[in-house]
Amino acid sequence: EQQETVEARQDAADAVAEEERETEQARHEVLKPDTSGNADNVREEQRETEEAKQQGREKVQEAEAETQQAIEERENMENELEVHEERKAYVSRIESALKTADKRLEELEEQYDEAEGDQAKQLETQISELEQQRDKLSDELEALKDKELTEWTQARDEVNAELDALQKMLNS
């Protein structure tokens, strides 16, 4: 787009230069002894020169607007890519936390298989609560994955709350 702007400016300058040459040529004709109709030619050439200047300005403005639009589109794409990468890293982090919870659940289930009495009941409660929290986080993560890029930061807050709760359970 920037190259097109440069080219538009050059085309406009060339068109104006050509019209100015024609105007000068018409003026030169006026200076000749036979001036019948030459003044009209000069005025016509001046009008055409002004018209070429205006068209050149319009082409340059259009090219500049297109360049600005292309710059904005590129910036938007870069921003979207950045948000997409940020979301991808975040999802990966949550999936890692879910795997950690799964491992912890396996450990607790092994302990439960060997436990008796109050210890077994305590482990059963702990397993149940951890499974529920893990499932909540998993559900929130799936909902986050379905969100548009523009909405995912709001959903991230909800996932963070579930992640914090899960991590507290894992650390206790």
Side-chain angles (χ1 to χ4, degrees), residues 22-42:
E22 289 176 11
T23 301
E24 279 305 309
Q25 191 176 19
R27 282 189 183 132
H28 181 50
E29 290 294 320
V30 168
L31 296 177
K32 289 184 179 178
D34 180 20
T35 61
S36 61
N38 286 339
D40 290 338
N41 286 343
V42 170

Side-chain angles (χ1 to χ4, degrees), residues 15-141:
V16 169
E18 176 63 27
E19 290 301 326
E20 287 176 343
R21 279 193 294 280
E22 289 176 11
T23 301
E24 279 305 309
Q25 191 176 19
R27 282 189 183 132
H28 181 50
E29 290 294 320
V30 168
L31 296 177
K32 289 184 179 178
D34 180 20
T35 61
S36 61
N38 286 339
D40 290 338
N41 286 343
V42 170
R43 281 190 292 277
E44 179 62 21
E45 289 301 328
Q46 287 173 332
R47 187 192 63 73
E48 289 177 5
T49 299
E50 287 305 313
E51 192 175 291
K53 287 179 181 179
Q54 180 60 31
Q55 288 173 349
R57 284 190 293 269
E58 289 170 1
K59 285 181 182 179
V60 168
Q61 287 174 343
E62 183 179 315
E64 288 174 341
E66 288 173 359
T67 299
Q68 184 60 35
Q69 182 179 0
I71 289 169
E72 290 171 5
E73 287 174 4
R74 185 192 74 222
E75 288 172 353
N76 286 341
M77 288 175 59
E78 288 172 351
N79 288 341
E80 278 187 29
L81 179 61
E82 185 178 318
V83 169
H84 178 72
E85 291 298 319
E86 184 180 335
R87 180 170 74 173
K88 184 177 174 182
Y90 184 78
V91 166
S92 178
R93 191 179 79 159
I94 299 303
E95 288 172 342
S96 176
L98 290 171
K99 288 177 185 175
T100 300
D102 290 338
K103 288 178 186 174
R104 180 68 177 137
L105 282 167
E106 287 176 15
E107 292 170 2
L108 290 172
E109 287 170 356
E110 287 174 11
Q111 290 175 11
Y112 174 76
D113 290 342
E114 297 175 11
E116 295 179 6
D118 289 341
Q119 186 182 14
K121 287 181 181 182
Q122 185 181 19
L123 285 169
E124 184 178 10
T125 302
Q126 195 175 1
I127 290 170
S128 176
E129 289 173 355
L130 185 55
E131 283 176 337
Q132 287 176 2
Q133 190 58 45
R134 187 231 178 269
D135 290 344
K136 283 182 187 178
L137 179 59
S138 181
D139 291 345
E140 290 292 338
L141 178 61

